[in-house]
Structures are given as structure tokens and as C-alpha cells.
Amino acid sequence: MTTPLVKLKLPNAETDPQLQRVDTLHQQLKLEQARAQELLARLKGEEYQASRVPPPPKTQDWVRGNKQLDMKLDQYRERVKRQEKRSGGKHTVDIGIPELKAEEREIRDLEARVSGLEGRVRGFEGLPPDKEMALMEVEKMRKELEALARRRDAMFEGLVDSDK
């Protein structure tokens, strides 16, 4: 019977230090729990609550800009949907850089043509808007030109005759 008692005593001697260690760990956990509770109470206090002060102007501008961009994005999505409905769900525009360059060349050609036409129109400046009146004005100018040409020729002949 002494042997079983000794056998019971031996595990009891091993468990005593383990119990003391568990007790120490338990005390440390209680201290940590108390600190965590204190920290939680501080965080719930007024010091850490969201302020009622409005955000700075830059933040307000950013929020406003973000809302405007969201609205624009919605508008663009609606436009795309409408365009897809009109085209039967097919993408009708497939533009790349070569196509844009060709368009740019066409635009430049048109600009050159417009400049030429504007030059021709400037030749008619000063003429009356009525066709008959304009034709009379042109005929008057033609006669004036002929008179100036005759005067020039006469002056030239006068120079030639005076050299002889």
C-alpha cells in the first residue's frame, strides 16, 4: 500500500509547480483584462468621439468633385446605353490613331478649301447685295480700269516719243 501512495505523491509534487504557474498566469490575465477594460472605457469617452466640426474645405471640395464625377459617369453610361439601343447593341464607332490622323488630314484639307473660298468672297466685298446693282458696279469699275489703262498707255507713248 505504500507504493501506491508514493506513486500518488510523485505526480502531486509535479503538479504543484504547474498549479503555481497557472495561478500566476491567471493573475497576469486578470491585470491585462483590467487594463483592456480601462482602455475601452477611455476609447468610448468624449475624447475619442467623432467631432461635430465640419471637414476642412479641401475635403469638402474633394467630396463635391467626387459627386460631380459620379453624376457625369452616370450620364455617360446613359448615353452609351442610348447609343447601343440606336445601333442595335453593336458598337458603331471603332476609332484608332490611324483613323484619327485621316480625320485630321480631311479637316486640314477642308480648312484650306474654306480659306480659299473666303479669299474669293473677299473679292466681292464692297459690292451691293442686289445682283443688278452689283453688275452695274462691276461694269463701272471695268470702264474705270479701261480708262486707267488708256491713260497708262498714253503716258508710256509720251515717254517713248520724248526719248526720240
Side-chain angles (χ1 to χ4, degrees):
M1 183 139 186
T2 56
T3 325
L5 265 177
V6 172
K7 283 184 182 179
L8 283 174
K9 249 331 194 180
L10 196 56
N12 194 17
E14 288 177 4
T15 57
D16 282 341
Q18 289 177 353
L19 281 173
Q20 286 177 348
R21 182 172 172 153
V22 168
D23 190 41
T24 305
L25 288 174
H26 183 71
Q27 293 300 324
Q28 287 177 350
L29 282 174
K30 281 183 180 180
L31 287 172
E32 286 298 316
Q33 181 185 15
R35 281 193 217 131
Q37 291 291 341
E38 181 184 324
L39 179 61
L40 182 62
R42 275 191 19 223
L43 289 175
K44 286 183 178 180
E46 287 184 25
E47 182 181 350
Y48 291 100
Q49 294 301 315
S51 65
R52 303 281 184 227
V53 177
K58 286 185 180 181
T59 304
Q60 290 175 346
D61 290 344
W62 181 81
V63 169
R64 189 178 310 113
N66 196 19
K67 286 180 182 178
Q68 289 174 349
L69 288 175
D70 285 343
M71 288 189 311
K72 283 286 188 187
L73 181 63
D74 291 340
Q75 290 173 359
Y76 290 142
R77 284 183 179 152
E78 288 175 19
R79 285 184 189 175
V80 167
K81 285 179 185 176
R82 276 188 260 133
Q83 184 64 28
E84 285 177 350
K85 284 180 183 178
R86 277 191 230 137
S87 65
K90 299 176 185 174
H91 293 286
T92 56
V93 180
D94 193 16
I95 295 179
I97 292 177
E99 291 85 2
L100 287 175
K101 286 184 177 181
E103 288 284 328
E104 183 180 11
R105 265 187 256 114
E106 288 178 25
I107 289 171
R108 286 189 181 156
D109 292 344
L110 287 173
E111 286 175 343
R113 185 173 174 210
V114 166
S115 295
L117 291 173
E118 285 175 345
R120 286 182 59 193
V121 167
R122 275 189 228 109
F124 294 102
E125 282 181 2
L127 289 177
D130 182 28
K131 182 179 177 182
E132 296 297 323
M133 298 279 291
L135 288 173
M136 288 174 47
E137 184 74 23
V138 168
E139 189 61 35
K140 179 181 167 187
M141 291 292 156
R142 186 172 298 143
K143 287 179 183 178
E144 189 177 323
L145 177 65
E146 287 174 1
L148 288 171
R150 279 193 303 270
R151 186 172 167 206
R152 179 198 64 202
D153 291 343
M155 290 172 82
F156 183 70
E157 286 177 14
L159 284 173
V160 170
D161 286 341
S162 65
D163 284 343
K164 286 184 182 181

